């Protein structure tokens, strides 16, 4: 988490994003050290809030919805795979389809049983460990080696008609 101090660049691409908000607004993929200060400032907004800086992991973006039913049982929905065809990553403009390009594909993820089990277990562990309630969406990157990396937990997932949760 960056909160305004000096930054050391390790030379690897990074994702810079605000710690709160949604739809990847204010998020940047930084590949060049010269772009880092601008990305940090954009993610911090006018208030200078702390910023998340994460290693950029390549692979297939996945999202898993979880829903608490009456009585407390939790349904872990099958993972969805997302593919942005006209962007470097699944950014805000692509998610919200501001240009009506339809530049993103969302489909049921075709996963080997062991990978599906791993993602489902990670999602449920996060649900329990963070004390989530009601509904949530957890975003992953699935590497070419079949390793899921958790990107973020959305404790209040979008509920619009086109949202990945709905």
């Amino acid at each position: 988490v960056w909160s305004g101090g000096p930054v050391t660049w390790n030379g690897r691409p990074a994702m810079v994003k605000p710690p709160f908000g949604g739809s990847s607004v204010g998020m940047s993929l930084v590949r060049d050290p010269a772009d880092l200060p601008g990305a940090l400032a954009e993610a911090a907004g006018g208030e200078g809030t702390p910023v998340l800086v994460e290693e950029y992991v390549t692979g297939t973006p996945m999202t898993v919805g979880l829903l608490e039913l009456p009585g407390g049982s939790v349904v872990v929905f099958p993972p969805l795979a997302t593919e942005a065809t006209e962007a470097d990553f699944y950014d805000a403009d692509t998610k919200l389809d501001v240009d009506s390009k339809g530049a993103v594909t969302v489909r049921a993820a075709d996963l080997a049983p062991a990978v599906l089990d791993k993602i489902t277990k990670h999602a449920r562990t996060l649900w329990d460990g963070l004390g989530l309630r009601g509904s949530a969406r957890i975003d992953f990157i699935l590497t070419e080696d079949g390793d899921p990396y958790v990107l973020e937990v959305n404790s209040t997932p979008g509920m619009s008609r086109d949202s990945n949760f709905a």
Side-chain angles (χ1 to χ4, degrees):
V1 175
W2 177 80
S3 56
V7 176
T8 302
W9 179 261
N10 67 9
R12 294 190 306 261
M15 295 303 299
V16 176
K17 57 187 175 181
F20 302 104
S23 299
S24 301
V25 173
M27 193 164 140
S28 302
L29 171 56
V30 179
R31 298 180 191 271
D32 185 315
D35 297 332
L36 186 58
L40 292 169
E42 180 180 354
E47 300 165 20
T49 58
V51 172
L52 296 171
V53 180
E54 302 172 342
E55 179 181 350
Y56 177 59
V57 178
T58 59
T60 303
M62 302 269 166
T63 189
V64 176
L66 296 100
L67 179 65
E68 183 177 19
L69 300 176
S73 64
V74 177
V75 175
V76 180
F77 293 113
L80 297 175
T82 59
E83 180 183 359
T85 58
E86 296 185 23
D88 284 337
F89 65 96
Y90 193 32
D91 64 1
D93 288 347
T94 302
K95 284 182 180 183
L96 301 173
D97 198 19
V98 294
D99 296 328
S100 299
K101 291 181 180 179
V104 66
T105 302
V106 178
R107 58 179 164 68
D110 183 20
L111 302 171
V115 174
L116 175 60
D117 186 53
K118 193 183 300 186
I119 290 174
T120 301
K121 284 182 179 176
H122 285 330
R124 185 55 201 245
T125 297
L126 286 163
W127 175 277
D128 293 336
L130 294 172
L132 299 172
R133 297 289 176 258
S135 63
R137 199 187 79 240
I138 301 174
D139 296 337
F140 295 84
I141 287 286
L142 184 65
T143 67
E144 288 184 18
D145 295 334
D147 294 324
Y149 285 81
V150 176
L151 298 177
E152 63 188 45
V153 175
N154 299 278
S155 59
T156 308
M159 293 292 180
S160 68
R161 180 180 61 91
D162 296 325
S163 75
N164 288 343
F165 184 86

